[in-house]
Amino acid sequence: MVESRRDRLRAATMREISETARRILVDQGPEAVTLRAIARDMGMTAPALYRYFDSHGELLRHLVGDIFTELTEELHRDIKTVPDGDLSGKFLAASRCFRRWSLGHRREYALLFGAPLPGFGHKEQADFAEECARRFGRTFLALFLELWHKRRFPVPPDEEIDPGLREQLRRYRDEALAVDLPLGVIQQFLQCWVRLQGGVSLEVFGHLDFALDDPEPIFELTMIEIGQGLGLEYSPPR
Amino acid sequence: MVESRRDRLRAATMREISETARRILVDQGPEAVTLRAIARDMGMTAPALYRYFDSHGELLRHLVGDIFTELTEELHRDIKTVPDGDLSGKFLAASRCFRRWSLGHRREYALLFGAPLPGFGHKEQADFAEECARRFGRTFLALFLELWHKRRFPVPPDEEIDPGLREQLRRYRDEALAVDLPLGVIQQFLQCWVRLQGGVSLEVFGHLDFALDDPEPIFELTMIEIGQGLGLEYSPPR
DNA sequence: TGTTAACTGCTAACGCTGTTAACCTTGCAT
DNA sequence: ATGCAAGGTTAACAGCGTTAGCAGTTAACA
């Protein structure tokens, strides 16, 4: 049997649950995404949702996966708007897209990148959400590696890397990435990623409000500095 | 009346509430800090806590203030262990202390620097918590300004700063800091702070786990880069 | 000193949460 | 046609924040 009537209904209900959860998240924040609220909005009762998800947490993890996917798609869309030759432009576009999306979806951001909730350890995340997160990560990594292959920005030789770090980088490269690269490239990637996501996190959570109403110029300064390390041509936004 | 018997009892109860809340936070995480749990641990009932705090949220905000104070004290303690002449050492010590405390108090960190909770907007925070947070911020700012006055690291002249940023920096300098400084110093401070806290946040929340078991070397690399911008002498930890 | 008001606790209750158990109807497959 | 599984229901349990109402204790004041 390929596509029974029940299968179709089930898939539709699944979709409706996701959409409803998503809408509540956007409208009322993460703590309002309760089973009862979702069910209420759908004209159902809460226990019925257990036919679709094992627990509240798993429903949230599924939601996380959806959001990661949406973010990743938006990133790819923005990257594609830059002509293929312009790698600097693509890198800038991706970074700015990530920041823009994050600031425009603070509650989703909190769910994806905030403090890990209880029983939500970012480690034992559901396969689905985990895979979505990985694809998100690969988006930036792919850009970075393309940059390395085509432009060869300067990186420290393996021998000059802190021994403790070197071993970790080697493991990550060989086990997770399975590519042939100097370890310095991975180190550089991680440093850039920390600056990018670290800065965005602070902004999203309002931890620069004590001094700035609009931290965009600070973000752009960061982009300039990162770009210098990678030999990129900087061009202002818009 | 200066110090009635009731006043003493009330103060003691206040203290006990704080300590109990704190212990539950450390042992079981932020979501376990419920009014009922606190009351249970104290041999009281939940409604009695309303004699001391208007709501659950306000109790949490008070807890935040306590934690900020504790963190600030630990920072000052560590800074003092470095001889007064060694400003580079003090700066490194403070930064490493912040990172160490954050990694050793992840749940407290989440409360202080995580996503703002509902009705917990980081803006309309209770006066108490707000003041504690300010004193924490001033700890780093003071080090930074001392560094500037004694060592004069290079900063961009006011005219070269992005106009939009310049105006914000001027407001922050004149209204919040009320000091006489080139705006470039403030800009540099904010950039350093973003790198420091941004990196620590990612580490605490486990967002580097996808690649690294121990991100300390990456943190030290950041310290080296920041130090270069400020003309500091780098010395490895321990 | 006696009275009054404020303070500090209690219990009971409301409505919310996630979750489980028991039950009923409906769709699908043998 | 029979039987089983899927997908829904209601009822219930334990926990939560919060409010109302009641009692006892302490402090202040006439």
Side-chain angles (χ1 to χ4, degrees):
Chain A
M1 190 45 51
V2 276
E3 174 75 326
S4 76
R5 161 177 174 74
R6 263 229 273 254
D7 289 343
R8 256 181 303 119
L9 286 183
R10 184 178 179 83
T13 306
M14 274 281 206
R15 218 170 322 128
E16 190 183 350
I17 294 174
S18 295
E19 289 164 3
T20 307
R22 181 63 192 282
R23 185 163 29 76
I24 295 176
L25 171 66
V26 172
D27 292 348
Q28 305 165 246
E31 75 291 344
V33 187
T34 68
L35 291 180
R36 289 186 137 98
I38 297 171
R40 208 180 303 129
D41 271 32
M42 296 175 61
M44 285 177 54
T45 59
L49 294 175
Y50 281 81
R51 303 292 178 183
Y52 299 87
F53 297 95
D54 282 350
S55 71
H56 182 229
E58 199 180 308
L59 194 154
L60 285 185
R61 282 187 284 272
H62 190 87
L63 182 57
V64 164
D66 283 348
I67 298 174
F68 261 121
T69 301
E70 187 180 305
L71 167 56
T72 305
E73 283 169 2
E74 188 152 328
L75 278 174
H76 280 119
R77 210 176 311 135
D78 264 34
I79 292 173
K80 275 211 197 90
T81 66
V82 179
D84 269 10
D86 184 7
L87 264 182
S88 296
K90 280 180 187 291
F91 190 87
L92 279 171
S95 304
R96 287 175 181 141
C97 176
F98 177 55
R99 173 175 180 269
R100 191 178 356 93
W101 186 92
S102 303
L103 290 174
H105 301 75
R106 294 176 191 252
R107 296 179 147 156
E108 292 95 323
Y109 187 93
L111 212 54
L112 268 54
F113 302 109
L117 296 174
F120 207 84
H122 281 294
K123 269 287 196 206
E124 76 275 9
Q125 232 171 56
D127 284 352
F128 172 65
E130 180 128 14
E131 176 53 29
C132 296
R134 235 189 294 278
R135 289 197 312 147
F136 162 73
R138 271 199 295 268
T139 304
F140 275 93
L141 186 61
L143 260 186
F144 203 86
L145 296 190
E146 191 179 348
L147 206 60
W148 162 254
H149 283 115
K150 299 208 172 141
R151 314 265 295 248
R152 296 278 151 153
F153 48 82
V155 298
D158 288 11
E159 312 83 59
E160 284 180 20
I161 295 177
D162 173 276
L165 181 57
R166 190 164 50 203
E167 213 32 62
Q168 298 187 70
L169 294 175
R170 197 189 309 279
R171 265 226 316 277
Y172 176 55
R173 179 189 64 181
D174 297 342
E175 293 178 10
L177 302 183
V179 290
D180 184 26
L181 284 171
L183 296 177
V185 179
I186 318 275
Q187 174 189 295
Q188 181 75 296
F189 170 70
L190 290 177
Q191 286 185 276
C192 291
W193 179 245
V194 169
R195 294 194 68 172
L196 179 59
Q197 206 206 331
V200 169
S201 274
L202 256 55
E203 226 181 304
V204 169
F205 293 154
H207 293 310
L208 297 177
D209 293 352
F210 71 94
L212 302 175
D213 286 331
D214 171 23
E216 177 171 357
I218 292 283
F219 173 79
E220 289 297 327
L221 284 174
T222 300
M223 291 313 301
I224 292 176
E225 285 191 19
I226 291 179
Q228 281 169 352
L230 303 179
L232 301 185
E233 304 98 26
Y234 176 80
S235 55
R238 279 281 132 260
Chain B
M1 191 42 54
V2 274
E3 176 75 323
S4 77
R5 160 177 173 73
R6 263 229 274 254
D7 290 342
R8 258 182 302 118
L9 285 183
R10 183 178 180 82
T13 306
M14 275 281 208
R15 218 169 320 127
E16 190 183 349
I17 294 175
S18 296
E19 290 164 2
T20 307
R22 182 62 193 283
R23 185 162 30 76
I24 295 177
L25 171 64
V26 172
D27 292 348
Q28 306 166 242
E31 74 291 344
V33 187
T34 67
L35 291 180
R36 289 184 137 99
I38 297 170
R40 209 179 302 130
D41 272 30
M42 296 176 61
M44 286 178 54
T45 59
L49 292 174
Y50 281 81
R51 304 294 178 186
Y52 298 88
F53 297 94
D54 282 351
S55 71
H56 181 230
E58 200 181 308
L59 193 156
L60 286 184
R61 283 187 283 273
H62 190 87
L63 182 58
V64 164
D66 283 347
I67 297 175
F68 261 121
T69 302
E70 186 181 306
L71 166 57
T72 304
E73 283 169 3
E74 187 153 329
L75 277 174
H76 280 119
R77 210 175 313 135
D78 264 36
I79 293 173
K80 275 210 196 90
T81 66
V82 178
D84 270 9
D86 184 7
L87 265 183
S88 297
K90 281 181 186 292
F91 191 87
L92 279 170
S95 305
R96 287 174 181 142
C97 175
F98 177 55
R99 174 175 179 269
R100 189 175 2 89
W101 185 92
S102 302
L103 290 174
H105 301 75
R106 293 174 192 254
R107 299 178 144 155
E108 293 93 322
Y109 187 92
L111 214 53
L112 267 55
F113 302 109
L117 296 173
F120 207 85
H122 281 292
K123 268 289 199 204
E124 77 272 9
Q125 231 170 55
D127 284 352
F128 172 64
E130 180 128 15
E131 177 52 29
C132 296
R134 236 188 293 277
R135 288 199 310 147
F136 162 74
R138 270 199 294 268
T139 305
F140 275 93
L141 186 61
L143 260 186
F144 204 87
L145 296 190
E146 191 178 349
L147 206 60
W148 162 254
H149 283 117
K150 299 208 174 139
R151 314 266 295 247
R152 296 278 150 151
F153 48 83
V155 298
D158 287 12
E159 313 83 61
E160 285 180 19
I161 296 178
D162 173 277
L165 181 57
R166 189 164 50 204
E167 213 31 63
Q168 297 186 70
L169 293 175
R170 195 189 312 278
R171 265 227 314 277
Y172 176 55
R173 179 189 64 183
D174 297 342
E175 293 178 9
L177 302 183
V179 290
D180 185 24
L181 285 171
L183 296 177
V185 178
I186 319 274
Q187 175 189 296
Q188 182 76 297
F189 170 71
L190 290 176
Q191 286 184 276
C192 292
W193 179 244
V194 169
R195 294 194 69 172
L196 179 59
Q197 206 206 330
V200 170
S201 274
L202 257 54
E203 230 182 303
V204 169
F205 293 155
H207 293 311
L208 297 178
D209 293 352
F210 71 95
L212 301 175
D213 287 331
D214 171 24
E216 177 173 357
I218 292 282
F219 173 80
E220 289 297 328
L221 284 175
T222 300
M223 291 312 300
I224 291 176
E225 286 191 20
I226 291 180
Q228 280 168 352
L230 303 179
L232 302 184
E233 303 98 27
Y234 175 79
S235 55
R238 279 282 128 257

